[in-house]
């Protein structure tokens, strides 16, 4: 039997429905981010930078893109004979079979994997957050406190506390109470969904709660450990951390990469973010173009203007086109004479000539105002947008379109046009 001090269990099976059409065909951790990365690159890079070389990645929803991106873990130095990265989908069992029905249920179903590593500690992570954290420092804190459970937390504005699990601690940061998304929070120290458990404590809790439907860490495991008077401590984190669970937070996190002094710095030598990179030629920027405060991915060809935007790899932007405050993902082709404002365009799209995105006044989206908002235009992967189309704000398009399908050659603000049963 191998022996590992700490292993990581990375929850990466979420559908990410609040990202709308961006996650129709892929899990949220596989969504591109920052011009060349995918969201899961950040927790994976944190693991190897922290010396955690054994990572179980729990997948479920639309796993193909995620699995092919991770492969055998080579970009993160996780292609190891002992340890390394293991993809852990749900599987058929002798007695009963089920999908992962909750965060802790997914961990419970892989208890044999964890036992095979014989760990002293288990680190539980989410695959859909953007941040840099040294888990080794958190483990040192866990040991120093002689903790059974350590929960990474960060202060949030009190008015936002009701969106999180809130820790109530004493002067020594020991957790004396826990409130899951309280209507009237008594504090503002929010759980980040990052836990270190001493292995025996985690195993006992999972087995004791095994019959609990939709077994979840925040709703079930943490309260159970509290009732058992386990030594639970809050590890306060004050760096950058972003849950990119909504289209607007995803857009904001990308925009924060390109600030003059970025809130989240991708260029630090001592804490690199690793990813699976394609073999692409350098960028090409033609004459009479203008690029201001933007990220341009490898292999992209720019003939127009790019302002305050994140451009992925292999993107083409035509002559006379202006891209502003937008995210254009890999291999998308934008025609000539276009004007794009606050657009999120997924991979492998084709946008014709003279297309105007993000024009006019804002109107509430007619199908999912909770998803498509903040003035964004969202276009799903492999969509074809015809030349001459004008599109308003808080809109969403998915499919291959002809200009004749649009009244007055426009899609007004707040409208949804989704083909092929991909509506979200």
């Amino acid at each position: 039997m191998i022996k590992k001090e700490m292993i990581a269990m990375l929850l990466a099976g979420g559908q990410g429905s609040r990202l709308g059409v961006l996650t129709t065909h892929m899990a949220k951790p596989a969504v591109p981010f920052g011009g060349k990365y995918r969201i899961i690159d950040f927790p994976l890079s944190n693991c190897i930078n922290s010396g955690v070389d054994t990572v179980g990645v729990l997948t479920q929803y639309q796993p193909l893109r995620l699995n092919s991106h991770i492969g055998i873990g080579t970009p993160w130095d996780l292609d190891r004979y002992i340890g390394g990265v293991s993809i852990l989908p749900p599987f058929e069992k002798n007695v009963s079979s089920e999908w992962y029905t909750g965060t802790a249920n997914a961990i419970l179903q892989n208890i044999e994997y964890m036992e095979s590593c014989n760990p002293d500690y288990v680190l539980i992570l989410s695959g859909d957050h953007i941040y840099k954290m040294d888990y080794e420092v958190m483990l040192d804190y866990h040991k120093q406190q002689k903790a059974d459970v350590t929960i990474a937390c960060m202060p949030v504005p009190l008015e936002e506390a009701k969106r999180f699990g809130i820790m109530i601690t004493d002067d020594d940061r020991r957790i004396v109470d826990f409130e899951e998304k309280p209507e009237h929070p008594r504090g503002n120290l929010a759980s980040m969904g990052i836990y270190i458990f001493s292995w025996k404590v985690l195993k006992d809790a999972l087995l004791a709660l095994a019959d609990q439907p939709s077994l979840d860490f925040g709703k079930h495991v943490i309260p159970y450990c509290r009732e058992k008077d386990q030594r639970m401590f809050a590890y306060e984190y004050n760096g950058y951390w972003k849950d990119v669970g909504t289209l607007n937070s995803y857009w904001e996190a990308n925009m924060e990469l390109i600030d003059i002094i970025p809130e989240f710095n991708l260029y630090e030598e001592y804490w690199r973010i690793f990813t699976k990179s394609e073999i692409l030629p350098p960028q090409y920027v033609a004459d009479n173009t203008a690029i201001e405060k933007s990220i341009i991915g490898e292999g992209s060809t720019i003939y127009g203007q790019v302002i305050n935007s994140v451009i992925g790899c292999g993107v083409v932007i035509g002559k006379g086109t202006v891209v502003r405050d937008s995210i254009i993902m890999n291999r998308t082709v934008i025609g000539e004479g276009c004007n794009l404002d606050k657009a999120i365009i997924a991979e492998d799209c084709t946008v014709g000539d003279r297309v105007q995105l993000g024009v006019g006044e804002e109107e509430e989206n007619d199908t999912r105002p909770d998803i498509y908002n903040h003035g964004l235009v969202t276009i799903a992967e492999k969509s074809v947008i015809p030349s001459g189309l004008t599109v308003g704000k808080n809109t969403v398009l998915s499919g291959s379109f002809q200009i004749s399908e649009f009244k007055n050659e426009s899609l007004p603000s707040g409208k949804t046009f989704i083909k092929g049963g991909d509506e979200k």
Side-chain angles (χ1 to χ4, degrees):
M1 178 182 285
I2 65 172
K3 175 66 179 172
K4 293 289 182 180
E5 181 180 33
M6 184 164 76
I7 65 170
M9 299 294 281
L10 179 49
L11 296 160
Q15 181 175 351
S17 57
R18 291 179 300 159
L19 289 180
V21 292
L22 297 187
T23 53
T24 298
H25 299 293
M26 71 178 86
K28 181 164 59 169
V31 171
F33 183 84
K36 68 174 292 180
Y37 305 99
R38 295 188 184 268
I39 294 171
I40 199 168
D41 292 335
F42 294 86
L44 283 175
S45 297
N46 287 340
C47 283
I48 201 62
N49 286 331
S50 303
V52 179
D53 64 3
T54 304
V55 183
V57 180
L58 286 73
T59 63
Q60 178 159 282
Y61 172 79
Q62 296 280 13
L64 178 61
R65 209 83 57 91
L66 188 63
N67 292 355
S68 104
H69 178 69
I70 295 172
I72 60 171
T74 303
W76 305 273
D77 192 26
L78 289 170
D79 50 339
R80 303 193 173 210
Y81 178 67
I82 297 177
V85 68
S86 300
I87 305 295
L88 303 172
F91 56 94
E92 189 169 351
K93 304 168 191 68
N94 196 24
V95 178
S96 64
S97 298
E98 61 178 346
W99 292 106
Y100 295 151
T101 58
T103 55
N105 174 267
I107 302 297
L108 170 65
Q109 290 196 47
N110 288 283
I111 202 164
E112 287 187 18
Y113 168 79
M114 293 183 286
E115 284 192 314
S116 72
C117 299
N118 192 24
D120 295 320
Y121 309 99
V122 177
L123 171 67
I124 309 294
L125 302 172
S126 174
D128 51 12
H129 297 153
I130 305 297
Y131 66 109
K132 297 177 183 178
M133 180 188 282
D134 190 338
Y135 304 132
E136 191 171 24
V137 175
M138 184 176 171
L139 178 60
D140 289 342
Y141 176 82
H142 181 88
K143 293 176 182 175
Q144 176 188 335
Q145 300 293 346
K146 297 182 172 59
D148 297 310
V149 185
T150 298
I151 303 175
C153 303
M154 66 185 303
V156 297
L158 195 58
E159 59 271 18
E160 294 183 22
K162 63 176 65 175
R163 295 172 42 225
F164 298 92
I166 298 298
M167 306 296 149
I168 311 299
T169 66
D170 62 18
D171 292 340
D172 296 324
R173 281 285 183 243
R174 184 165 181 174
I175 297 167
V176 297
D177 204 357
F178 172 79
E179 301 175 321
E180 178 69 9
K181 298 181 179 178
E183 190 61 36
H184 303 288
R186 291 185 284 151
N188 70 331
L189 199 60
S191 168
M192 299 167 64
I194 300 169
Y195 313 101
I196 291 179
F197 284 86
S198 296
W199 167 232
K200 184 179 184 304
V201 171
L202 176 62
K203 182 179 177 181
D204 289 349
L206 292 174
L207 293 176
L209 296 168
D211 294 331
Q212 173 68 50
S214 302
L215 184 59
D216 181 83
F217 279 101
K219 293 177 182 176
H220 305 118
V221 175
I222 300 305
Y224 174 84
C225 292
R226 175 77 195 95
E227 289 168 11
K228 292 293 183 182
D229 200 29
Q230 305 284 11
R231 290 181 59 83
M232 299 173 59
F233 285 82
Y235 172 75
E236 188 168 335
Y237 174 77
N238 290 294
Y240 181 94
W241 178 82
K242 194 92 167 184
D243 180 349
V244 288
T246 67
L247 278 174
N248 187 58
S249 64
Y250 173 79
W251 178 83
E252 282 182 345
N254 274 273
M255 295 300 107
E256 285 164 355
L257 298 175
I258 50 181
D259 287 340
I260 302 276
I261 302 174
E263 284 196 52
F264 187 72
N265 191 347
L266 290 173
Y267 303 97
E268 293 170 329
E269 281 292 318
Y270 74 92
W271 200 271
R272 294 185 179 182
I273 304 300
F274 302 97
T275 189
K276 177 185 176 183
S277 294
E278 299 179 49
I279 307 302
L280 292 169
Q283 305 96 331
Y284 175 76
V285 178
D287 196 15
N288 299 319
T289 63
I291 298 176
E292 299 177 17
K293 208 174 74 166
S294 296
I295 290 173
I296 310 293
E298 298 105 316
S300 289
T301 306
I302 313 296
Y303 296 100
Q305 296 184 52
V306 180
I307 303 163
N308 202 59
S309 295
V310 175
I311 308 300
C313 301
V315 170
V316 177
I317 295 176
K319 291 180 181 178
T321 287
V322 179
V323 178
R324 183 182 287 104
D325 299 332
S326 295
I327 302 166
I328 314 296
M329 298 186 199
N330 302 345
R331 300 175 301 279
T332 282
V333 176
I334 311 291
E336 298 184 356
C338 300
N339 200 312
L340 281 56
D341 188 18
K342 283 193 77 172
I344 301 176
I345 304 180
E347 296 175 291
D348 299 301
C349 289
T350 301
V351 176
D353 299 332
R354 306 178 312 283
V355 171
Q356 309 290 310
L357 301 182
V359 301
E361 299 297 319
E362 282 195 45
E363 296 288 342
E364 187 175 88
N365 185 262
D366 58 0
T367 56
R368 293 300 303 269
D370 56 323
I371 294 177
Y372 305 109
N373 47 46
H374 289 83
L376 293 166
V377 178
T378 308
I379 298 177
E381 65 177 343
K382 299 181 181 176
S383 292
V384 178
I385 308 303
S387 295
L389 183 65
T390 298
V391 179
K393 299 175 180 178
N394 296 333
T395 48
V396 56
L397 289 142
S398 176
S400 181
F401 300 97
Q402 303 292 326
I403 194 67
S404 58
E405 298 177 85
F406 297 88
K407 184 179 179 180
N408 299 324
E409 299 185 348
S410 70
L411 184 71
S413 291
K415 296 299 181 183
T416 299
F417 199 164
I418 296 178
K419 286 184 168 183
D422 284 342
E423 186 157 357
K424 285 233 176 187

